[in-house]
Each structure stands twice: as structure tokens, then as C-alpha cells.
Amino acid sequence: MAKDDLLPHLYELLQNAISSPIIERIFAFVVDIFVAVALTVVPVIGVGLAGLYFFVKDILPFNGKTSFGKAVYHIRVVNIQDNAPLTKQMMFKAVVRNIFILIPLLNIVDLYYLLSTGKRLVDIWIETDVVSFDEAL
């Protein structure tokens, strides 16, 4: 695919995605923060577990390949090429999505972009989306 064809192709993929409501995404993030904080009570390794959870929460194999917060609100991160949940092979995308939150200036720009367009800037860059799903986990 030529470089000039990439942006229209990406735009078309984003238009076909059924993104989840922003409020569900925010509440799911709050639940995930509570889970990470709860993990810190585990002696000695709690902080490490919380950090690990935070970075790979979107590919948890025992939770339907979604974080606990997203599972509560029936949303998940998907790869926009095939609308499939992220897998271990896509761990880079999951980690990049979550590291982005730790960079203050980019986080502010990303939050503004989410509130104004309904999509995170990082999701567009790494070709992911957060979508609603109906089936039980």
C-alpha cells in the first residue's frame, strides 16, 4: 500500500468501527485504576503487579482479552484491521496505549482529542479502537 493511500484507508477503517461511548471508557479506566491500587496491597510484589496490570490490562487472557474495567462496561480494545481483540502477539500495541497515559503533555493532548472526537490519538496512531460488545465474558 502506497503512503498516499494509507490515510484514506485508515479513515475508512475508523469510520466503520463502532466506538464505545466516552463515559464508559472513562468509568472503565477508573475501575482499572482501583484494581491497580488494590494490587499494591500485596506485600513485596504489589507495586510490580500493579504496574504489570496497568501495562497489559487490555490483553488479559483470563478475562476475555480485556481489562477488568472494560469487562464491567462490555467494551474492549480491538485491532481496527480485523476488529479482533488484541492478543499476546499485539502486546506492543497494548503497552503503547497504556504508556501514552504516563506522558503528561501527550496525555493532555490525547484527552482533549478523545473528548472532542471520541477517539484517542494513540488509538489512531497504533490502529486500535475501543468498541462495545454484547457477549458475556
Side-chain angles (χ1 to χ4, degrees), residues 36-37 39-54:
V37 169
L39 287 170
T40 63
V41 301
V42 176
V44 182
I45 61 169
V47 174
L49 287 175
L52 181 64
Y53 171 78
F54 186 78

Side-chain angles (χ1 to χ4, degrees), residues 52-112:
L52 181 64
Y53 171 78
F54 186 78
F55 290 119
V56 298
K57 67 185 188 296
D58 295 325
I59 59 169
L60 294 176
F62 55 85
N63 198 35
K65 293 188 173 108
T66 191
S67 70
F68 288 109
K70 287 182 180 72
V72 168
Y73 290 96
H74 294 277
I75 58 179
R76 71 167 47 122
V77 179
V78 296
N79 191 21
I80 62 173
Q81 283 87 8
D82 55 7
N83 230 15
L86 297 182
T87 62
K88 288 181 187 175
Q89 291 76 19
M90 298 177 197
M91 187 179 292
F92 174 76
K93 287 185 177 191
V95 171
V96 168
R97 287 187 85 254
N98 296 314
I99 285 178
F100 209 78
I101 292 170
L102 300 177
I103 304 170
L105 182 58
L106 290 178
N107 192 18
I108 292 168
V109 172
D110 196 33
L111 180 61
Y112 172 77

Side-chain angles (χ1 to χ4, degrees), residues 15 19 33 40 94 105 128:
Q15 294 293 35
S19 294
I33 293 297
T40 63
L105 182 58
T128 58

Side-chain angles (χ1 to χ4, degrees), residues 110-123:
D110 196 33
L111 180 61
Y112 172 77
Y113 199 80
L114 173 66
L115 295 174
S116 62
T117 67
K119 297 197 182 294
R120 287 181 61 199
L121 193 55
V122 69
D123 284 331

